[in-house]
């Protein structure tokens, strides 16, 4: 392990907005072709392979009322699936709100024209799918001309209609979007709305106070230090060991509801979810965060493949000189009831020092994600050093390492925190923050 002077501050910048947005240069210009009746399906097929678009079961609340726009889940990047909505549905729903807007399609110029503040005029297509069940989505270049300005956001064409991400539309048209309950609910709030996110519960107010914990004093607003771009300077090198993969699924559990994996595979409620469905997307997201901020990353795998322990040992040994630390990404299992995160560290730090402090940096950030801790940092000794192979291989070449178990995959409640790309990103963001926290006070 190299020692270098420490020199970087914490970076809290979110780079997600820059990740996963595919370049659109080679796509066709038409935006609202009806692929089933105009014969344009061939054009799509020739231009770009479609992706499976799954009917979304997400609950959508607009200013506290449940609404039912048409929505599809599509996996577009390595982290998981996003939900896409029809522009016309949102325009229809926003009618009468401060942020209402009109939508028109100019047949001549093939432009989608929106005007803010104008009332939306229905064309009868709103809030219904042109065909039922899962569909095929084609990536498309469909800028919105808003008040004369061209706005380019990621778009998919499904059955001749253009679909966008809700949050992107919120940014464009000025409404707020947040996700709750591990993205099972999308909460839309328009400017000026001050009510609750979802309809008030039916419970009588008298039942409530007795069971309610005293209000928690909100933590003081985190004041991130001044963001300093690229303070890592391409010097910090992180080795990410991706748990399991390929023929080795790792721990398994049961999907509590329909779930679309990062590979755009649907696991229906009650179906089996595997640890490897999460270890890789979290690791890839962590890699992207680190690289986007100037760190170097070495991965044990960048695709879903089997990597044996002897190969992992080889990767650790051959990169021991380059890497400053190793993070091994796993998700836990026990008896179906255990919950919370767990960090496993090298035994040489059981009485304190870097290994314990690194684990604590992870724990602090996991708590901030609303996770609970299953158990204090684990230091387990085997017959010849660390009990856990990855920690032992790293210790043998003097490489600092921790294993992270963020949630219990065999506990549907616990794992639901990452059954969405938002959750996957939150986990990776916590890891990224923890690594930077640690190296703000330690040398590398
Ligand atoms: Zn594992």
């Amino acid at each position: 392990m190299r020692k270098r002077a420490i020199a970087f501050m914490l970076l809290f910048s979110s780079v997600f907005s820059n990740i996963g947005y595919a370049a659109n240069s080679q796509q066709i210009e038409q935006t609202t072709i009806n692929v089933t009746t105009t014969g344009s399906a061939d054009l799509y097929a020739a231009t770009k392979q479609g992706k499976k678009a799954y009917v979304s079961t997400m609950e959508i609340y607009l200013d506290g009322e449940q609404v039912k726009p048409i929505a599809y889940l599509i996996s577009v990047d390595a982290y998981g699936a996003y939900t896409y909505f029809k522009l016309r549905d949102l325009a229809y729903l926003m009618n009468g709100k401060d942020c209402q807007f009109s939508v028109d399609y100019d047949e001549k110029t093939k432009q989608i024209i929106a005007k803010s503040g104008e009332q939306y005029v229905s064309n009868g297509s709103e809030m219904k799918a042109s065909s039922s069940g899962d569909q095929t989505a084609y990536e498309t270049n469909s800028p919105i001309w808003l008040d004369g300005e061209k706005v380019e956001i990621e778009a998919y064409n499904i059955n001749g209609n253009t679909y966008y991400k809700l949050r992107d539309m919120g940014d464009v048209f000025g409404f707020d979007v947040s996700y709750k309950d591990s993205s099972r609910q999308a909460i839309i709030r328009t400017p000026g709305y001050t009510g609750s996110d979802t309809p008030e519960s039916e419970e009588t107010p008298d039942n409530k106070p007795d069971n309610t914990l005293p209000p928690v004093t909100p933590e003081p607003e985190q004041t991130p230090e001044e963001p300093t771009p690229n303070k890592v300077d391409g010097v910090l090198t992180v080795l990410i060991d991706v748990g399991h993969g390929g023929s080795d699924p790792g721990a398994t559990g049961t999907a509590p509801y329909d779930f679309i994996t990062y590979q755009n595979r649907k696991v229906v409620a009650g179906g089996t979810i595997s640890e490897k469905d999460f270890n890789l997307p979290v690791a890839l997201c962590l890699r992207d965060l680190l690289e986007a901020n100037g760190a170097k990353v070495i991965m044990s795998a960048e695709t879903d493949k089997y990597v044996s322990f002897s190969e992992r040992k080889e990767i650790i040994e051959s990169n021991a000189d380059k890497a400053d630390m190793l993070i091994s990404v796993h998700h836990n299992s026990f008896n179906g009831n255990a919950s919370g995160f767990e960090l496993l560290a090298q035994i040489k730090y059981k009485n304190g020092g870097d290994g314990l402090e690194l684990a604590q940096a992870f724990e602090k950030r996991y708590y901030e994600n609303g996770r609970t801790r299953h158990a204090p940092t684990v230091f387990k000794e085997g017959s010849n050093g660390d009990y856990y192979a990855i920690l032992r291989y790293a210790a043998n070449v003097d490489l600092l390492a921790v294993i992270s178990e963020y949630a219990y995959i065999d506990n549907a409640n616990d794992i639901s925190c990452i059954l969405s790309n938002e959750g996957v990103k939150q986990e990776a963001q916590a890891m990224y923050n923890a690594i930077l926290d640690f190296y703000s006070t330690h040398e590398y």
Side-chain angles (χ1 to χ4, degrees), residues 243-252 273-277 279 304 306 409:
H244 314 280
S247 57
D248 169 16
T252 56
I273 45 174
S274 305
E275 192 187 340
K276 71 168 190 167
D277 293 334
N279 295 344
D304 178 20
Y306 177 74
I409 192 135

Side-chain angles (χ1 to χ4, degrees), residues 244 248-254 272-276 278-279 329-344 371 374-375 378 380 388 403-412 414-415 418:
H244 314 280
D248 169 16
T252 56
T254 304
T272 302
I273 45 174
S274 305
E275 192 187 340
K276 71 168 190 167
F278 303 94
N279 295 344
V329 181
H330 284 259
H331 294 83
N332 230 336
S333 72
F334 184 52
N335 61 0
N337 292 317
S339 65
F341 62 77
E342 194 171 47
L343 272 297
L344 293 71
R371 303 287 305 138
H374 174 71
V378 174
K380 191 168 177 183
Y388 297 102
I403 297 172
S404 165
E405 307 268 9
Y406 187 72
Y408 278 81
I409 192 135
D410 62 350
N411 178 335
D414 201 45
I415 201 65
I418 54 164

